[in-house]
Amino acid sequence: MKNLEKNKKGSLRWLVLTSLSILLTFGMISCDSMVEVVDPDIVTPESLNSETGIQTLKAGSLGDLSIAISGAAAGHGATTGLIVMSGLMSDEYDYSGTFPTRREGDTRILQNTNGDITRIYGNLHKARAGAEATVDLAVNFGGLSDVESEMQSIIGYSYILFAETFCGAVPFSKVPSDGGDIIYGMPLSTEQMFTDAITWFDQALANSSGNAKLTNLASVGKARALLGLGQINAAANEVASVPDDFVYNIEHSENSKRQENGIYIMSTVRRQFSIADGKGGNGLMYRSSGDPRTPWNGGTVYGQDDITLYYNQLKYTSSNAPVALASGIEARLIEAEAAANSDDVSSVQTIHNALRATLSLPPLDLTGLTGDALMLAHMKERAYWLFSTGHRHGDLNRLVDIYGMPPSSVFPWGSYFKGGEYSSTLRFPVPQSESNNPNYVECL
């Protein structure tokens, strides 16, 4: 048992430390000796203790975040990201493939051994751990405020994504940058994760040093965490100064399969995630509404499973398409949510119609709507604007947790289109892979 535990600890340490290392692909040939060669190696902790090394480490964390959120083309059957899997859990996508782990997400009948969820969980923690290590090194180096601020926001977003989509019980462990023993985290409740996210965003704001993009990134993130805590007016106040045209993208590239946009790969290339329409009775009509914010084509061929008619999303039309993590549009939607929560139908309508005018969409008439009806009208607009960006699953959970709506009235419910029923489970479980942590519990 001691050897097994040692191996488990070593595996986790290796997982986190490798997120801090990027392969170098150079060789050197000495002029004095044709046989004196420096072998390719990894970036060591010592070599990272420079501004260039810290920037390299930051890039690694952002790369891990892109895989955690968007997925990638790399891996057997490609790598699923949080966006498509949470899109199955909510009402954005139907599963048109054959992988049983992905069908579990579609039905919400989830096992804690689900390989897709385990990878997403691990990749998101890798991004978070890499960002924490970057902050530590930047501070020890003497301070690189822009790097610290951006990485502190990335840490904050990782906490938010865990809080919105995983059940309470996520621990946040740490391997010290000097390679010391793992510091095992305690399971955090959903409220604790949102609260800790705010702490990280406050640090990011303090270090943003007048950099408008970093200030806006942290402000939108903090407001998103405040929504999760039910502090709706405070959330709106937080984003009041964020301009409409602000956007912070998760970047993708065709340089390698690891860098490609996994949403595009999983949908357009592999035909496994089909844009939904009225999913489970409560889902929005993403296709039949004809809304330009959820473009699609298809319905003439089958998906990868050869039995489900496939409808392809057209929001991401290439493998290098970026994905918005935070934006000025989201800031305005947060303000609209605060207005809806206050039954201020006039302000809700004004905010939404100003946004709709940017796409020449006809104005909404929300006259007479109050309470849940007004909030659902707002959330419908929010869903179209933020389609396939990793927001919808958390939004549905907020309708249940904060606004008190029954899950059966907002989540896909009842009969599943491939047979059986949708589960009443609303969040991903903490995967069994976390059980090497002596504090592990699957859900609180």
Side-chain angles (χ1 to χ4, degrees), residues 22-74:
I22 297 176
L23 292 175
L24 298 178
T25 57
F26 65 88
M28 294 175 59
I29 300 178
S30 169
C31 295
D32 297 324
S33 172
M34 292 299 291
V35 297
E36 185 179 336
V37 177
V38 177
D39 292 331
D41 201 354
I42 62 172
V43 176
T44 64
E46 293 77 16
S47 66
L48 289 171
N49 193 26
S50 66
E51 185 169 352
T52 300
I54 291 168
Q55 292 288 352
T56 298
L57 190 55
K58 183 187 89 168
S61 173
L62 293 175
D64 288 332
L65 182 71
S66 73
I67 295 177
I69 293 179
S70 305

Side-chain angles (χ1 to χ4, degrees), residues 3 39 85-86 98 100 122 183 196 228 242 244 278 304 335 350 367 370 408 417 428 430:
N3 288 335
D39 292 331
M85 283 298 284
S86 67
T98 57
I183 303 169
D196 284 359
V242 176
D244 292 355
Q304 186 250 356
E335 292 172 334
T350 297
T367 304
T370 61
S408 59
F417 77 104
F428 299 124
V430 176

Side-chain angles (χ1 to χ4, degrees), residues 4-297:
L4 179 59
E5 182 64 22
K6 181 177 180 181
N7 289 339
K8 285 184 175 181
K9 290 183 178 180
S11 296
L12 180 58
R13 184 179 293 110
W14 179 87
L15 174 65
V16 177
L17 288 177
T18 52
S19 73
L20 313 183
S21 300
I22 297 176
L23 292 175
L24 298 178
T25 57
F26 65 88
M28 294 175 59
I29 300 178
S30 169
C31 295
D32 297 324
S33 172
M34 292 299 291
V35 297
E36 185 179 336
V37 177
V38 177
D39 292 331
D41 201 354
I42 62 172
V43 176
T44 64
E46 293 77 16
S47 66
L48 289 171
N49 193 26
S50 66
E51 185 169 352
T52 300
I54 291 168
Q55 292 288 352
T56 298
L57 190 55
K58 183 187 89 168
S61 173
L62 293 175
D64 288 332
L65 182 71
S66 73
I67 295 177
I69 293 179
S70 305
H76 173 65
T79 301
T80 47
L82 186 66
I83 287 175
V84 291
M85 283 298 284
S86 67
L88 291 179
M89 290 281 285
S90 59
D91 64 348
E92 292 181 321
Y93 289 106
D94 290 317
Y95 188 52
S96 52
T98 57
F99 285 60
T101 52
R102 296 165 192 174
R103 180 164 171 167
E104 284 182 20
D106 204 18
T107 61
R108 303 196 306 274
I109 303 172
L110 299 158
Q111 301 182 67
N112 65 4
T113 54
N114 184 295
D116 287 279
I117 296 170
T118 299
R119 278 187 290 274
I120 291 167
Y121 181 88
N123 286 331
L124 193 52
H125 269 309
K126 282 179 65 178
R128 186 265 309 170
E132 287 182 356
T134 306
V135 171
D136 290 345
L137 286 171
V139 170
N140 291 337
F141 183 70
L144 297 169
S145 58
D146 280 4
V147 172
E148 291 174 48
S149 179
E150 186 171 7
M151 292 292 95
Q152 285 159 342
S153 282
I154 294 308
I155 298 165
Y157 277 102
S158 71
Y159 274 79
I160 283 175
L161 294 170
F162 277 123
E164 289 181 343
T165 61
F166 282 81
C167 66
V170 177
F172 293 78
S173 301
K174 184 169 184 176
V175 174
S177 56
D178 62 5
D181 289 340
I182 298 167
I183 303 169
Y184 287 111
M186 295 296 296
L188 299 185
S189 68
T190 299
E191 181 179 351
Q192 287 172 319
M193 285 187 273
F194 281 128
T195 300
D196 284 359
I198 290 170
T199 299
W200 283 106
F201 287 123
D202 282 339
Q203 294 178 57
L205 288 166
N207 284 315
S208 61
S209 304
N211 184 314
K213 184 174 184 178
L214 296 180
T215 298
N216 293 332
L217 174 66
S219 294
V220 174
K222 182 177 179 179
R224 186 169 171 179
L226 287 166
L227 288 181
L229 290 173
Q231 299 178 32
I232 313 301
N233 290 334
N237 292 336
E238 188 64 39
V239 295
S241 62
V242 176
D244 292 355
D245 61 356
F246 161 69
V247 64
Y248 180 97
N249 282 326
I250 296 169
E251 301 294 344
H252 292 282
S253 168
E254 296 176 348
N255 288 337
S256 70
K257 290 186 178 298
R258 170 185 165 85
Q259 295 170 282
E260 292 185 29
N261 183 319
I263 308 166
Y264 169 79
I265 297 300
M266 285 293 188
S267 56
T268 305
V269 176
R270 294 186 175 271
R271 303 196 318 278
Q272 291 190 30
F273 292 79
S274 177
I275 186 169
D277 203 46
K279 182 175 180 176
N282 295 320
L284 297 181
M285 310 300 284
Y286 294 110
R287 300 197 314 264
S288 59
S289 65
D291 197 294
R293 295 167 292 184
T294 56
W296 62 277
N297 64 13

Side-chain angles (χ1 to χ4, degrees), residues 151 278 374 391:
M151 292 292 95
L374 179 58
H391 288 77

